[in-house]
Amino acid sequence: MTDPVDPQPAAASLPVRLLVCDDHAVVRAGLLALLDSAPGIEVVGEAGTGEEALALAARLAPDVVLMDLQLGEGMDGVETTRRLTSPSAAVGAAGAAGTAGTAGTAGARAAGGTGGGGRAGSAGSAGSAGDAVGEGGAGEARGAPPHVLVLTTYDTDADITRAIEAGATGYLLKAERPEELFAAIHAAAQGRTALSGPVASRVMANMRRPRPSLTDRERDILAQLATGLGNREIARALFISEATVKTHLRRIYDKLDVDTRAGAVAVAKEQRLLT
């Protein structure tokens, strides 16, 4: 579900500057080829890791970062999103540009080598675009942190919640039609929410679902459980008996409709029961 937006911007308007972040080179190449036909969208660079995305964003000042959630080893998409959208991201961009230089050049070379056709050339010019930012071009004109549009195969409540809480403007599944992706990129560039249909349905269902009512003691035990403590350690920490811990755990499992400790913690995080 994407807010209404004109997918064909006026000729006088600037194209949406897009940075693509996905750890699979084949996926990035496919996206670059697809986006080559997108009206009003200019891919300025590509990244294979969260760290590289942060460096390139500081150097290239994109309007939107198309972000995968799972990025292999290192920083994941959620943490990268959190850092990209933090208020300090724009303030620290100038200072980060020097550090980003090497990564920006590497990202530009990767873009030029893996992209297809004309879009590869556009992405491959990332280095020169970064120089322009450093000289006070796009960086000063745009200033604000980029909007992040998640593009992933994961649609669990936990993944959606974590991404949105981290600051993502939109959340799309990779099964979307190209036209939906293009429209979502333009919507994100304007700060408009863009959600895939199944994702929007899950978000609405979660909002309508009543939150479980836990007692203060049950919340205490759940918080200890989230730290990885066993029953004996929880009993010692809360100055209660191990049998009392087990009784409360059974009640917590019933209220959260789970049957494992890991399940209880996962549901508690999804429904923001842990403070």
Side-chain angles (χ1 to χ4, degrees), residues 77-79 81-86 161-168:
V78 171
E79 180 58 28
T81 296
R82 182 176 291 108
R83 298 193 188 190
L84 282 170
T85 58
S86 68
T161 299
R162 290 177 63 231
I164 293 175
E165 288 181 344

Side-chain angles (χ1 to χ4, degrees), residues 259-272:
D259 53 15
T260 66
R261 303 165 76 90
V265 173
V267 171
K269 289 181 178 179
E270 287 176 8
Q271 301 192 22
R272 304 181 187 180

Side-chain angles (χ1 to χ4, degrees), residues 21-23 48-51 53-54 65-85 148-152 154 159 162-164 166-168 171:
C21 182
D22 195 294
D23 62 327
T49 66
E51 290 81 0
L54 291 174
V65 178
L66 195 60
M67 178 69 63
D68 191 15
L69 285 186
Q70 301 297 329
L71 298 175
E73 296 182 1
M75 193 182 305
D76 68 1
V78 171
E79 180 58 28
T80 305
T81 296
R82 182 176 291 108
R83 298 193 188 190
L84 282 170
T85 58
V148 175
L149 177 61
V150 171
L151 181 65
T152 182
Y154 299 93
D159 287 320
R162 290 177 63 231
I164 293 175
Y171 197 108

